[in-house]
Amino acid sequence: MSEIAGHARVVIIGGGVVGVSALYHLAKAGCTDCVLLERNELTAGSTWHAAGNVPTFSSSWSIMNMQRYSAELYRGLADAVDYPMNYHVTGSIRLGHSKERLREFQRVVGMGRYQGMDLDILTPEEIRSRYPFAEIHDLTGALYDPNDGDIDPAQLTQALAKGARDLGAKIYRFCPATGARREGDEWVISTVKGDIRCEYVVNAAGYYAREVGKWFGRDVPMMVMSHQYMLFDEVPEVAAWTAEAGHKLPLLRDVDSSYYLRQEKNGFNLGPYERNCKAHWVTPDDPMPEDFSFQLYPDDLERLEWYINDACERVPLLGTAGLTKNINGPIPYTPDGNPLIGPMPGVPNAFEACVFTFGICQGGGAGKVLAEWVMEGETEWDMWSCDPRRFTAFCDQDYTIAKGMEVYGHEYAMHFPHHAWPAGRNKKLSPVHDRIAALGAQFGAYNGWERANWFARPDDDTSEAATQTWRREGPWFAAVCEECEAVRDAAGILDLPGFSRYRVEGPGARDWLSTLITGAVPKPGRIGLGYFADAQGRIVSEMSIMAMSEDFFFLITAATAQLHDHEWLLTHLPEGLGVKIEDVTEQFSCQILSGPKSREILSGISDADLGKHWLTHQSARVAGIWCQLVRVSFAGELGWEIHSKVADTPAIFDAVMEAGKPHGLKPFGMFALNSLRLEKGYRAWKGDLSTDYTVLQGGLERFVKWDKAEFIGRQALERERQHGSKKRFVTLIVEAGDCDAPYMSTLWHDGEVVGETTSGGWGHRIGKSIALGMARADLAIAGTRLEVEIFGERFSATVQEDKPLWDPANERLRA
């Protein structure tokens, strides 16, 4: 007879803080028929040896939300579930050594203020008033977070477990899952104590998540790092200060040197993130053991020597303390350092809540998000930053290891808008990669595809160091200006590999697509934008819909949306409809030819009807080679997208370049395209377009066809139309300083926070700083004066009319 329940609605595999938090939040949401399986005791993986820091700091809006929620949850959890916990809210001081670092801090302070957190910037002298033992002679300032602190990871996990059990959920310890199989509409999870059937399954297996993923045919993009922290003896001066102050020292992070230093009782806890880091279980001679519960790696202090010395110079008292213990344990990493929370790509009713580098501070929020995914199929906050579908097939293990080590070694690094990390590059190359490289292309990676960001001139500084700035006018600025001017005055060509594209064909395809998008499905020979909403009317995706015939379409979407959008289509395809969906992303490439001379350039090398109107497409030949010419331009000038088979792309590119010579054709890159699209008010996916906003808030009413049959999100949008939107999309001209508004810069009006930017940059055709964003609806009126907070300083901004800043009547686009 089985020792466990034979059926549950949800089975969670893994009993660390994240898995238990997911169980607790599911139970709180009313899903008490849930089971958690743990191979050993709760916390036996990474949780038991975690340092237990609980920061709220993040430069990611969604991860800040998640960490803020965790801190709020933990402060009241002991009382909520009647379980004692050691949770010390000490505050933290994050040290800055440079002006650039202070700008990062100022941006985060603004984001935190918007989320209700009382973050602050300290002068060097103010650092000493809060942390008298720190040397401050070389510092520019610091970020102070009063809600930071540390918690006992085991007590936290047990408190969440008690709360889940009290609500009716079940936890089976010492019950390892051994496999999974699909039978009908159910999952069957095998364990050493019998099988358990369930509707939903969650992989929360921590650093074993990749092994568990294999049961589902999934290669989880993760690797495991060795992370060490050191505990030091009591220091009399610390004990005396604590006794007098009545509280512990704030947690100190020297982010430029890359370590944290925390008071542990009356001693210290030092945890570096070293550049000379070490991965484990990544080579044949170091295989992952079958069970590593409550185990550690051997000490490896030699690689920490520089960091220990630097910390002793920063806080000389540390040098007087004796080292009592070193903890060297496994921490999992994804290629970008963010966890995996959400649907398991391509696997029905399976979810991931794993690969948490900072599982303690993110665990509470992760449980909330996971429970929303399972119970509602969508989340309160847009969680693309953690969505497993953000990693596509190019993320093989070599790539994942290289990026994981790079992220670990730069754990506290600043993420500048024009900087690209060098590891794991050249995974996907355009068929004309060598050609554009020879023209001076400086590349960035987009879903693994190398695209030109800008084209360097002979004397331009192309060093990595030159890109590590928040300022708009880096070495690329003048070159990008020239690229934009070429598109404005003559023509530009942008090699754009990697568009995600799906072939949708079959009887009823048109009617089915109409139920998915808010607007009209284009007629044969036409192309249009389709906006996909969720049940709340929020923006899920934007795809270009190219109608080849009545029931035959190509859907084209962002490169990084490949798995996300494909899954959305498949999930909403009724059984038996007869519509086929095929991902043909790898079969085609694309070039954008745009500018007033583009028609003249094509006329000599193509048999196409170049008089066809805007938003049409046609099969044609360029240099005698088939392609699909699409009369659209994200750059906002007369132009075409040239879609061709991958093997044919070089010949077409060469022909266009040759034909363009007499007309001033110039290659341009993604930086120029971003400037050009901002001037047209064109939205970017997962910035301006996300589930943080509804279709109506996004200013997309013209893409809603109210008189058609039912579509997803219609009822919610009807209610919003009747009652009014709380926020509205705005285009702003900003009287900015030397920086443009980054994502999630705060909007102010009369001393109140009234919205946020969703993207920003310099418009080279209009010579002004532009921000797109969301403002309180009553302020989204042309001429309204707002302020945009950019790195701690407020700059005047004016709401523009609801039309493009460049070519407002689209005369050039339609020419």
Side-chain angles (χ1 to χ4, degrees):
M1 188 175 189
S2 174
E3 297 180 42
I4 61 173
H7 189 277
R9 187 177 181 194
V10 183
V11 169
I12 298 171
I13 301 171
V17 66
V18 173
V20 178
S21 176
L23 187 75
Y24 174 67
H25 282 86
L26 282 165
K28 277 188 68 178
C31 184
T32 57
D33 184 17
C34 298
V35 164
L36 182 143
L37 304 173
E38 166 54 43
R39 70 156 60 230
N40 197 284
E41 181 58 87
L42 297 182
T43 77
S46 290
T47 300
W48 79 272
H49 63 75
N53 298 331
V54 189
T56 58
F57 177 97
S58 178
S59 58
S60 162
W61 180 257
S62 54
I63 290 178
M64 177 182 277
N65 259 320
M66 195 163 63
Q67 294 179 175
R68 172 188 52 79
Y69 174 90
S70 293
E72 292 171 355
L73 172 72
Y74 300 166
R75 285 197 289 273
L77 186 62
D79 291 337
V81 301
D82 191 24
Y83 191 95
M85 291 191 303
N86 288 320
Y87 183 23
H88 307 107
V89 180
T90 62
S92 71
I93 297 172
R94 197 172 286 253
L95 304 178
H97 293 242
S98 66
K99 178 183 176 182
E100 300 288 27
R101 181 65 79 175
L102 262 291
R103 278 186 160 175
E104 179 198 45
F105 291 168
Q106 288 159 340
R107 180 189 174 210
V108 172
V109 166
M111 290 169 56
R113 185 189 299 111
Y114 198 174
Q115 291 195 17
M117 296 188 294
D118 189 22
L119 307 180
D120 197 10
I121 300 293
L122 305 180
T123 65
E125 292 71 25
E126 289 171 329
I127 296 171
R128 285 298 293 270
S129 70
R130 295 180 184 269
Y131 202 107
F133 307 120
E135 294 294 322
I136 62 170
H137 61 280
D138 57 343
L139 300 177
T140 54
L143 183 145
Y144 179 68
D145 179 359
N147 294 315
D148 207 332
D150 60 270
I151 197 167
D152 184 299
Q155 291 177 340
L156 168 62
T157 307
Q158 294 297 345
L160 291 166
K162 182 179 184 298
R165 288 189 182 106
D166 288 348
L167 291 167
K170 294 181 175 64
I171 297 175
Y172 295 112
R173 299 170 301 134
F174 303 101
C175 183
T178 57
R181 65 183 186 274
R182 189 81 171 151
E183 290 188 359
D185 293 331
E186 289 186 316
W187 286 105
V188 181
I189 309 301
S190 300
T191 82
V192 295
K193 296 182 180 180
D195 289 349
I196 181 167
R197 293 177 175 272
C198 60
E199 185 179 352
Y200 300 102
V201 63
V202 179
N203 180 359
Y207 55 71
Y208 273 102
R210 188 167 182 239
E211 303 307 307
V212 171
K214 292 173 183 176
W215 303 343
F216 301 89
R218 159 87 163 139
D219 189 6
V220 178
M222 61 166 292
M223 50 84 69
V224 178
M225 292 298 300
S226 153
H227 176 62
Q228 300 180 84
Y229 64 88
M230 293 151 282
L231 302 178
F232 292 83
D233 260 334
E234 179 173 316
V235 178
E237 291 88 340
V238 172
W241 184 91
T242 302
E244 182 178 348
H247 56 80
K248 293 170 64 175
L249 288 163
L251 194 155
L252 198 70
R253 288 184 181 86
D254 195 327
V255 288
D256 291 309
S257 293
S258 195
Y259 58 79
Y260 68 81
L261 182 65
R262 184 180 96 198
Q263 182 177 339
E264 189 76 23
K265 296 182 180 177
N266 286 316
F268 286 109
N269 175 337
L270 173 65
Y273 289 89
E274 69 279 11
R275 297 285 176 90
N276 53 326
C277 51
K278 180 177 177 58
H280 268 290
W281 305 333
V282 296
T283 58
D285 61 342
D286 182 26
M288 175 175 279
E290 185 175 337
D291 188 0
F292 201 68
S293 300
F294 295 113
Q295 296 184 57
L296 296 170
Y297 302 129
D299 292 353
D300 191 7
L301 290 173
E302 192 171 311
R303 72 175 195 254
L304 305 183
E305 183 178 354
W306 184 91
Y307 300 88
I308 297 170
N309 290 337
D310 191 80
C312 289
E313 292 177 6
R314 178 64 56 201
V315 181
L317 275 182
L318 177 63
T320 69
L323 176 62
T324 61
K325 192 174 185 179
N326 186 61
I327 309 293
N328 185 7
I331 297 185
Y333 270 76
T334 61
D336 63 7
N338 291 347
L340 303 175
I341 319 173
M344 190 181 295
V347 184
N349 287 5
F351 295 86
E352 293 174 341
C354 52
V355 202
F356 281 78
T357 299
F358 298 101
I360 305 304
C361 69
Q362 294 171 1
K368 171 191 185 300
V369 170
L370 191 280
E372 291 168 348
W373 268 124
V374 173
M375 298 291 290
E376 303 168 29
E378 54 196 27
T379 55
E380 177 187 357
W381 314 309
D382 189 292
M383 290 304 300
W384 181 245
S385 63
C386 301
D387 195 309
R389 295 167 294 187
R390 72 191 187 274
F391 297 120
T392 58
F394 78 92
C395 297
D396 58 24
Q397 197 61 7
D398 288 345
Y399 172 87
T400 300
I401 293 167
K403 295 302 288 185
M405 294 186 70
E406 181 179 62
V407 172
Y408 180 96
H410 298 87
E411 189 59 69
Y412 294 130
M414 291 174 277
H415 297 278
F416 297 107
H418 294 95
H419 174 250
W421 296 101
R425 298 298 296 274
N426 295 324
K427 294 297 293 184
K428 292 182 176 182
L429 301 182
S430 156
V432 297
H433 180 84
D434 291 345
R435 289 166 170 79
I436 62 173
L439 294 170
Q442 305 301 302
F443 292 97
Y446 299 80
N447 193 36
W449 288 99
E450 296 290 329
R451 292 178 180 171
N453 280 331
W454 63 289
F455 287 82
R457 303 162 304 178
D459 295 328
D460 286 335
D461 184 354
T462 59
S463 67
E464 183 180 353
T467 67
Q468 294 177 324
T469 177
W470 305 108
R471 297 176 65 251
R472 81 168 64 88
E473 293 196 27
W476 56 83
F477 187 80
V480 170
C481 183
E482 290 181 5
E483 293 169 25
C484 292
E485 290 171 348
V487 174
R488 180 194 66 192
D489 300 333
I493 185 168
L494 170 63
D495 180 47
L496 200 62
F499 267 140
S500 301
R501 61 187 80 212
Y502 320 107
R503 181 186 178 109
V504 177
E505 187 174 13
R510 173 174 294 274
D511 291 342
W512 171 66
L513 279 176
S514 184
T515 68
L516 297 187
I517 66 171
T518 60
V521 180
K523 297 186 180 303
R526 304 282 295 180
I527 186 171
L529 288 176
Y531 287 92
F532 296 73
D534 65 12
Q536 299 181 57
R538 302 181 304 174
I539 304 165
V540 171
S541 192
E542 171 200 78
M543 302 189 211
S544 294
I545 302 176
M546 188 190 305
M548 310 304 291
S549 63
E550 190 64 22
D551 280 318
F552 175 21
F553 305 89
F554 280 98
L555 273 54
I556 303 172
T557 185
T560 192
Q562 183 179 3
L563 293 181
H564 176 280
D565 285 2
H566 191 221
E567 192 161 291
W568 183 265
L569 295 172
L570 291 174
T571 300
H572 292 87
L573 181 65
E575 288 187 22
L577 184 60
V579 173
K580 295 182 179 178
I581 302 172
E582 182 185 2
D583 187 333
V584 294
T585 299
E586 303 292 336
Q587 298 178 25
F588 298 91
S589 195
C590 177
Q591 297 156 59
I592 290 178
L593 177 65
S594 194
K597 301 291 183 66
S598 56
R599 180 177 280 122
E600 295 173 59
I601 292 169
L602 283 176
S603 64
I605 56 174
S606 176
D607 63 356
D609 178 359
L610 300 177
K612 276 185 172 288
H613 292 274
W614 183 46
L615 300 180
T616 62
H617 62 89
Q618 61 185 302
S619 290
R621 292 186 177 273
V622 171
I625 301 168
W626 173 88
C627 64
Q628 197 74 16
L629 275 182
V630 185
R631 180 80 154 75
V632 295
S633 173
F634 201 54
E637 299 282 354
L638 170 68
W640 285 262
E641 289 179 0
I642 308 173
H643 297 263
S644 55
K645 294 179 180 177
V646 170
D648 295 333
T649 300
I652 292 175
F653 178 84
D654 291 345
V656 173
M657 287 294 290
E658 185 63 29
K661 284 181 180 178
H663 300 287
L665 177 66
K666 185 180 181 70
F668 69 102
M670 299 298 290
F671 290 175
L673 184 65
N674 188 57
S675 171
L676 298 165
R677 69 96 187 171
L678 285 169
E679 292 172 315
K680 296 296 291 183
Y682 294 158
R683 281 66 152 174
W685 192 63
K686 290 307 178 190
D688 315 298
L689 304 171
S690 79
T691 55
D692 283 331
Y693 310 110
T694 69
V695 172
L696 297 185
Q697 288 175 337
L700 301 169
E701 292 95 328
R702 65 189 183 279
F703 294 100
V704 180
K705 188 172 172 56
W706 297 107
D707 60 350
K708 73 171 185 173
E710 187 65 30
F711 57 86
I712 297 174
R714 178 178 185 137
Q715 292 181 1
L717 292 173
E718 283 276 18
R719 287 194 299 271
E720 184 180 345
R721 181 166 67 149
Q722 292 171 10
H723 298 293
S725 303
K726 294 180 179 179
K727 288 182 175 182
R728 297 289 295 177
F729 178 85
V730 291
T731 299
L732 300 167
I733 295 293
V734 187
E735 297 169 22
D738 62 353
C739 299
D740 298 310
Y743 175 67
M744 285 296 167
S745 297
T746 308
L747 301 182
W748 292 80
H749 182 261
D750 286 345
E752 293 184 17
V753 174
V754 295
E756 69 275 357
T757 64
T758 52
S759 58
W762 187 259
H764 287 278
R765 286 177 297 195
I766 66 171
K768 295 178 181 178
S769 182
I770 304 167
L772 308 183
M774 294 288 174
R776 205 175 68 202
D778 62 303
L779 300 173
I781 300 169
T784 301
R785 299 286 287 181
L786 302 176
E787 291 178 303
V788 182
E789 183 177 338
I790 303 176
F791 301 114
E793 187 175 353
R794 297 187 203 175
F795 295 90
S796 182
T798 305
V799 177
Q800 303 299 300
E801 292 186 51
D802 187 17
K803 56 186 179 181
L805 299 172
W806 174 255
D807 185 27
N810 288 328
E811 294 172 351
R812 297 168 67 94
L813 193 63
R814 300 172 187 268

